[in-house]
Amino acid sequence: MFLNVLLVLLQVQVPGVPEHRITNIFEPLASPAAAEKNIALFTLAITGAIFLIVGGLIAFTIWRFRSRPGDDTNQEPAQVYGSNQIEVAWTVIPILIVFVLIGVSARVIASVQNASPPKSMLKVKVIGHQWWWGVEYPDYGIVTANEIHVPVAKGQNTATYLQLQSLDVIHSFWLPQLAGKTDLVPNRTNYMWIDPQEPGVYVGNCAEYCGTQHANMLLRVIAQPKSEFDQWAAAQQRAVASNSQAAQGKAAFESLSCVNCHMVKGTPAVGKFGPDLTHLMSRQTLAAGVLTNTREHLRAWVNDPQEAKPGSLMPSLKLTDKELDQVVSYLESLN
Ligand code: CUA
């Protein structure tokens, strides 16, 4: 399983699109992440200096006052009690340091939170589920999952504002190169924003333990030039083309309990518990980043979701080989 996820992380590559695979907060590619990197470095510098001073003094003391041949081991060393100056110093200095760190952090947090959105912002609603991400574009009428397409912000005076909600437990939305973590809390809406400066795929994950498959709740932001984003959005808004080759599969799919949990726009499948499948094949991965989106993986996933993602809330329907082929052919026509 781990290997599988690793392979997905390393391999899924869209031709011509750079992949920002390093989940590294020290290589920010968006304004919130850049501001947070600076504060992280500042904090590291101060705490690093404290570490060096304290560690250095301890090392020096151990070395300087080590036992030497000829020491009188029967006699206790001189006992020293109390020094007002030293005690005041080591109380006041740490307090000052803590207040400096609080003040600087609060300033950065406030500047990120209170940044006024540009006029041309994109609004996206992200809904946490065990263990996948629902993604909605209210202004576009688009519903998708696990992938957030956004226009590249550089030179565009734009940004993507995210409305974060959860339908079950607390999750945490984290794209290390774009912004810090924000929790998705049931019965509450949290907000954050991202403005990816370079096109490419940014990977992230759920950062709050939310159950068995927490580690397989992967997330990707696909930042594209505005024209490509518009193309993507237009394709997502299109109704599913009816495909005569998949007609049997469609009938099979609609006769099964798939439709209780999944939505395919314009069909009797109107379930909302699982990911919307209307344009399933336009996505790079299945099962929230666990499998690359290939026919082979799709078939294995539908056959037994518990194999790739034990604990997944999608049950195995124990389909016959024929049903499985039909359903997979239908799903493959959803592009
Ligand atoms: Cu969702 Cu951890």
Side-chain angles (χ1 to χ4, degrees):
M1 195 58 257
F2 173 72
L3 189 67
N4 222 331
V5 173
L6 196 67
L7 285 178
V8 172
L9 283 175
L10 295 175
Q11 280 184 349
V12 188
Q13 186 117 30
V14 180
V17 176
E19 301 261 317
H20 303 292
R21 296 232 160 273
I22 332 136
T23 48
N24 185 346
I25 62 163
F26 295 108
E27 290 187 30
L29 283 167
S31 323
E36 285 151 13
K37 173 196 163 187
N38 292 337
I39 178 81
L41 286 180
F42 178 73
T43 308
L44 263 181
I46 290 188
T47 50
I50 294 173
F51 174 79
L52 287 180
I53 292 170
V54 174
L57 284 175
I58 291 175
F60 171 77
T61 310
I62 290 173
W63 173 79
R64 175 70 182 75
F65 299 104
R66 69 192 184 279
S67 107
R68 275 173 260 220
D71 280 354
D72 182 355
T73 48
N74 290 326
Q75 207 186 332
E76 274 191 13
Q79 302 295 299
V80 182
Y81 292 105
S83 157
N84 285 341
Q85 284 103 322
I86 290 178
E87 281 170 22
V88 166
W90 73 37
T91 307
V92 171
I93 294 174
I95 289 176
L96 290 179
I97 293 173
V98 167
F99 274 104
V100 167
L101 290 178
I102 291 175
V104 177
S105 306
R107 210 187 61 182
V108 171
I109 292 170
S111 75
V112 169
Q113 267 181 2
N114 301 338
S116 52
K119 277 225 166 63
S120 63
M121 68 168 177
L122 173 69
K123 277 184 259 167
V124 179
K125 199 164 146 184
V126 179
I127 301 142
H129 299 260
Q130 285 176 317
W131 292 277
W132 59 281
W133 307 89
V135 179
E136 296 177 10
Y137 296 71
D139 297 339
Y140 288 77
I142 294 172
V143 181
T144 178
N146 305 318
E147 290 178 7
I148 306 174
H149 286 248
V150 302
V152 172
K154 196 172 194 175
Q156 299 289 327
N157 187 30
T158 191
T160 302
Y161 274 70
L162 304 168
Q163 224 186 71
L164 305 173
Q165 297 172 343
S166 170
L167 277 191
D168 38 46
V169 300
I170 299 176
H171 303 272
S172 179
F173 184 96
W174 191 33
L175 282 141
Q177 287 189 286
L178 299 182
K181 301 166 185 172
T182 307
D183 279 3
L184 298 87
V185 182
N187 297 318
R188 184 193 158 92
T189 302
N190 282 340
Y191 298 89
M192 66 182 286
W193 58 279
I194 51 175
D195 61 345
Q197 298 294 306
E198 285 176 25
V201 179
Y202 297 82
V203 291
N205 50 275
C206 182
E208 179 81 49
Y209 183 74
C210 54
T212 309
Q213 286 295 336
H214 154 71
N216 285 331
M217 192 167 162
L218 308 180
L219 179 64
R220 46 190 66 212
V221 161
I222 297 155
Q224 302 167 300
K226 183 77 171 77
S227 58
E228 275 178 40
F229 170 79
D230 289 339
Q231 275 174 20
W232 171 84
Q236 296 290 310
Q237 285 169 322
R238 267 198 289 278
V240 181
S242 71
N243 180 332
S244 56
Q245 283 179 330
Q248 271 191 329
K250 183 170 190 284
F253 178 83
E254 286 168 8
S255 72
L256 293 163
S257 51
C258 309
V259 297
N260 295 337
C261 291
H262 293 286
M263 167 90 77
V264 179
K265 245 183 244 158
T267 77
V270 292
K272 289 203 154 181
F273 189 68
D276 185 293
L277 301 177
T278 310
H279 295 286
L280 173 67
M281 296 318 286
S282 71
R283 299 182 207 147
Q284 297 176 359
T285 69
L286 300 169
V290 173
L291 300 165
T292 49
N293 192 356
T294 63
R295 182 182 171 94
E296 193 193 337
H297 286 156
L298 188 55
R299 197 176 191 282
W301 171 252
V302 176
N303 182 43
D304 186 8
Q306 305 303 316
E307 174 77 31
K309 208 163 172 176
S312 156
L313 300 183
M314 173 158 153
S316 166
L317 297 180
K318 308 273 186 247
L319 303 182
T320 63
D321 270 2
K322 191 177 161 215
E323 285 173 321
L324 198 54
D325 285 333
Q326 286 176 336
V327 167
V328 171
S329 296
Y330 173 58
L331 293 176
E332 270 196 309
S333 75
L334 301 174
N335 46 29

